[in-house]
């Protein structure tokens, strides 16, 4: 067990002396968990092998999974990318700082442990003020995967980070619940056609507004094993709570009728059942006599609350949780990508 330094910070009134404590840990090859606008990240020096190894140790993650390099200034992209093409420059101008990770050809000195042995590197400039100040003050390029133990939902709240990672890292900065709630959109700019490898808050249509051509990797919403995911992180089980998640997609009957029937068919009376619901539907699900978790008023709120709610299912010892399918091609693509993984691709039609 490490003796973890934990500090609470408010994004609007950050004390630079506090930031310096954690910047020094990064400079001295330690690990620091910090908030970003997407999820909490566990960071260490991306260009130092010994530091990067500590991330894998803390997460218990397989070491062939490449990490995202976080920068505090746009021009640091040239420290690690061999070249930045015109289209990528447009993306950087439009979306950085923000929840977009760009994959480019790497420079020689970026170690294999950070890139998972690939000749490309994933780079992102977070928008959160605490993250930005920490990156600038340390002047370190920071590899930072989500701050969860491998295979568990990404943490978006201080309680989740501390309960899961206290003692596993050198420092933890906690703030509030993360604004976006889902990890950054990942786009590979080294392919012939720019390809979204992980959907997020920056959607296909956001990217189409500035790039002529962009596609979504077909592996994103499918389970098929033979589709080799281009983002190696996607091949591991991810986001799994202990509860069994079952997604219900509207077809003939109403979703609540389908859930009602499913609940009636559960023979084991000791099973703890929950329903995840948008705010407008809370009442009709409450009538089904199970715990109902509010995902929020709109899809942005669903994204923000999703991992937090998966964590709450576990905290409440839920065995089975039903959740409606979120249709549409905006942020719902990212929500469904995470939900499908959390459910082991269990989708029933109503
Ligand atoms: O929002 C985020 O991006 C968060 C916060 C902390 O910044 N970080 C995060 O990192 O989600 P991580 O390590 O959990 O996810 C990295 C993703 C994985 O899906 C990985 O496979 C992909 O990025 N990736 C990284 N480098 C890559 C590369 N060179 N080529 C293809 N995919 C890459
Ligand atoms: Mg992750």
């Amino acid at each position: 067990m490490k003796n973890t330094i934990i500090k609470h910070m408010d994004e609007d009134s950050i004390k630079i002396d506090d930031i310096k404590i954690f910047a020094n840990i990064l400079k001295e090859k330690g690990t620091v968990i910090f908030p970003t606008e997407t999820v909490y990240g566990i960071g260490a020096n991306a260009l130092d092998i010994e530091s990067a190894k500590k991330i894998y140790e803390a997460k218990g993650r397989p070491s062939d999974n490449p990490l995202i390099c976080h920068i505090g200034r746009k021009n640091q992209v040239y420290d690690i990318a061999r070249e930045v093409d015109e289209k990528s420059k447009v993306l950087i101008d439009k979306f950085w700082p923000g929840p977009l990770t760009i994959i480019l050809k790497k420079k020689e000195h970026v170690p294999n442990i950070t890139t998972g042995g690939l000749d490309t590197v994933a780079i992102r400039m977070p928008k959160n003020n605490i993250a930005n100040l920490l990156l600038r003050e340390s002047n370190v390029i920071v590899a930072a995967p989500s701050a969860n133990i491998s295979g568990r939902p990404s943490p978006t709240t201080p309680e989740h980070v501390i309960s899961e990672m206290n003692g596993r890292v050198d420092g933890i900065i906690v703030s509030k619940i993360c604004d976006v709630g889902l990890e950054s959109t990942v786009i590979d700019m080294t392919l012939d056609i720019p390809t979204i490898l992980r959907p997020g808050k920056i959607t296909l249509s956001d990217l189409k507004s500035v790039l002529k051509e962009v596609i979504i990797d077909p592996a994103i919403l499918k389970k098929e094993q033979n589709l080799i995911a281009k983002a190696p992180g996607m091949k591991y089980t991810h986001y799994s709570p202990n509860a069994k998640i079952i997604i219900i997609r509207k077809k003939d009957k109403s979703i609540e009728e389908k859930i009602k029937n499913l609940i009636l068919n559960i023979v084991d009376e000791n099973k703890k059942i929950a329903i995840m619901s948008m705010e407008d539907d809370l009442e009709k699900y409450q009538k089904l006599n199970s715990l109902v978790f509010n995902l929020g008023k709109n899809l942005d709120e669903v994204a923000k609350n999703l991992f937090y709610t998966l964590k709450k299912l576990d905290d409440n010892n839920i065995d089975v949780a039903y959740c409606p399918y979120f249709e549409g091609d905006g942020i719902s693509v990212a929500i469904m990508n995470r939900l499908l993984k959390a459910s082991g691709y269990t989708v029933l039609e109503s």
Side-chain angles (χ1 to χ4, degrees), residues 39 59 61 145-148 152 154 183 198 238-239:
V39 300
K59 278 183 71 83
R61 167 194 252 199
S146 47
N148 51 287
R152 312 282 305 149
S154 302
E183 306 88 340
R198 180 172 73 184
H238 252 152
Y239 314 117

Side-chain angles (χ1 to χ4, degrees), residues 248-255 325 327 348-350:
I248 313 292
R249 192 168 196 178
K250 171 98 182 77
K251 197 173 172 229
D252 303 327
K253 286 188 294 245
S254 70
I255 293 184
Y325 193 104
E327 309 284 348
L348 303 179
E349 289 181 331
S350 73

Side-chain angles (χ1 to χ4, degrees), residues 26-39:
L26 290 173
K27 284 197 253 187
E28 285 159 16
K29 305 191 177 192
T31 45
V32 173
I33 292 179
F34 58 96
T36 81
E37 73 277 29
T38 59
V39 300

Side-chain angles (χ1 to χ4, degrees), residues 321-336:
Y322 300 103
C323 184
Y325 193 104
F326 295 96
E327 309 284 348
D329 53 14
I331 184 89
S332 23
V333 178
I335 295 170
M336 284 317 301

